[in-house]
Amino acid sequence: MSKETKATGRVVKSTGSWYQVELPKTGETIQARIRGKFRLGGKKLTNPVAVGDWVEMNIDTAENTGMIINILERKNFVVRQSPRQKHHLHLMAANIDLALLIVTVVEPKLKQGFIDRFLLLTEPRDIPVLICFNKCDLYSEEDLLIAEYLSSLYREIGYDSLIVSATKKIKTDQLKLKLKGKTTLVTGQSGVGKSTLLNTLQSGLNIKTGDLSDYTGKGQHTTTFAELHKLDENTHIIDTPGIKTLSYNNLEVMDVTHNFREFFQVSDRCRFNNCSHRNEPGCAVKEAVEKGSISELRYQNYLIILDEIEDQNYWERHTDY
Ligand SMILES: Nc1nc2c(ncn2[C@@H]2O[C@H](COP(=O)(O)OP(=O)(O)OP(=O)(O)O)[C@@H](O)[C@H]2O)c(=O)[nH]1
Ligand SMILES: [Mg+2]
Ligand SMILES: [Zn+2]
């Protein structure tokens, strides 16, 4: 007969149906599962439990496996449309202090709007974001100007930013300092150097990284599951698989309007209080764009996202699945 005990631990890796849960006292990891279907805001979740979650389990002491019976209340979480099932949501991580968005101007080229699209995932929950331009050792003079331009643009609206090189260890000490004492979600397009950067920050992590040639082809992912790594007693980082595209199945127009933070700051001066900042008269956001105090680039990306959401929501309401 097998015996059961109860324990609480933190999810450090999720591989589909199994979760690796670390027990805080011993550091031992238990393989655990969860039963049932889970939803968030009316949408099905592909993964009910996220890396970073604290969970209660019943542990079968003979098998040394766990059954998750409760997910403790989350401080916050980052959720996106599932990359595989467009009507589902996917939890990227839970209980984080910082989101580290890694981008690069070259190899792979930065997709227009990618940074703004990502910020819509963190902004509703007030999660601080550090935007890191990696691979600066490869930048031409013009690439560097682009990185510097974008870096100061985001800094002006309140997002921290750094230009670094993981392989040449440029500004990586500064980056390490910014992560100290925090749990950080590390994310970005595939091949930008997330895992390489983490290996640079901590020798001995030995996270698998990709060959550059992998990314010129079909862009396969080297990191396939989110995993929490410990840098020191109080510092943790969650490495995640690369993002190919970011679409939204859980946003309304007003969610976008409210979460472009510098737009929101001036929007109380718009004539209409539900102004979408497109064609409405007396719009303070459009005025700020014309004056140059709001970035034209951010505004163009905003318009693209709004159109896309309106289109998608229209078809969802007018199609039977
Ligand atoms: N020149 C240069 N190459 C880098 C730098 N950082 C990473 N790379 C290279 O970029 C490639 C991809 O690095 P990874 O760390 O596997 O990228 P990733 O973001 O973890 O990719 P996924 O796990 O697929 O999401 C590897 O060949 C790295 O050596 C850098 O600062 N400079
Ligand atoms: Mg990786
Ligand atoms: Zn307006």
Side-chain angles (χ1 to χ4, degrees), residues 111-129:
K111 277 193 194 152
Q112 162 150 20
F114 185 79
I115 297 175
D116 297 328
R117 300 180 85 86
F118 178 76
L119 294 175
L120 281 180
L121 306 186
T122 50
E123 198 62 15
R125 294 179 183 87
D126 288 327
I127 297 170
V129 179

Side-chain angles (χ1 to χ4, degrees), residues 42-96:
K43 286 245 164 9
K44 279 189 195 142
L45 280 167
T46 50
N47 58 338
V49 186
V51 170
D53 262 331
W54 286 90
V55 296
E56 284 171 354
M57 305 173 283
N58 283 330
I59 298 174
D60 178 326
T61 48
E63 301 276 335
N64 207 27
T65 57
M67 184 58 72
I68 296 170
I69 49 170
N70 188 23
I71 304 167
L72 302 192
E73 197 186 331
R74 294 177 176 127
K75 168 172 119 170
N76 59 30
F77 56 88
V78 180
V79 69
R80 60 173 291 207
Q81 176 176 321
S82 160
R84 290 186 197 86
Q85 289 161 290
K86 70 172 192 167
H87 299 298
H88 287 50
L89 291 173
H90 179 82
L91 285 167
M92 295 177 72
N95 300 318
I96 59 167

Side-chain angles (χ1 to χ4, degrees), residues 102 107 134-138 164-169 188-197 208-213 215 219-224 239-243:
I102 314 236
E107 294 189 16
N134 187 29
K135 306 200 186 186
C136 73
D137 57 295
L138 299 177
V164 307
S165 163
T167 48
K168 294 276 171 355
K169 296 197 163 91
Q189 285 172 246
S190 199
V192 293
K194 297 181 289 299
S195 302
T196 308
L197 203 47
K208 191 168 172 256
T209 60
D211 284 334
L212 263 190
S213 57
Y215 300 99
Q220 69 183 60
H221 300 293
T222 302
T223 304
T224 43
D239 191 16
T240 59
I243 298 176

Side-chain angles (χ1 to χ4, degrees), residues 303-320:
L303 293 179
I304 293 169
I305 297 171
L306 271 199
D307 275 355
E308 190 182 299
I309 284 174
E310 274 187 340
D311 234 38
Q312 181 167 337
N313 289 354
Y314 174 86
W315 286 110
E316 246 180 48
R317 284 179 191 124
H318 293 83
T319 318
D320 288 328

Side-chain angles (χ1 to χ4, degrees), residues 225-288:
F225 299 111
E227 184 166 1
L228 184 137
H229 303 273
K230 192 183 202 170
L231 296 192
D232 65 44
E233 214 37 61
N234 303 313
T235 310
H236 296 85
I237 40 151
I238 302 173
D239 191 16
T240 59
I243 298 176
K244 273 214 185 98
T245 51
L246 272 180
S247 307
Y248 312 105
N249 59 8
N250 58 340
L251 296 186
E252 300 289 337
V253 166
M254 278 300 147
D255 294 319
V256 184
T257 310
H258 289 171
N259 289 299
F260 269 66
R261 59 164 71 162
E262 76 281 31
F263 295 19
F264 189 64
Q265 273 165 9
V266 301
S267 64
D268 59 341
R269 289 195 273 109
C270 292
R271 189 174 306 161
F272 301 104
N273 61 16
N274 61 348
C275 186
S276 72
H277 321 311
R278 284 180 288 195
N279 305 310
E280 296 92 337
C283 171
V285 170
K286 272 202 305 187
E287 203 177 288

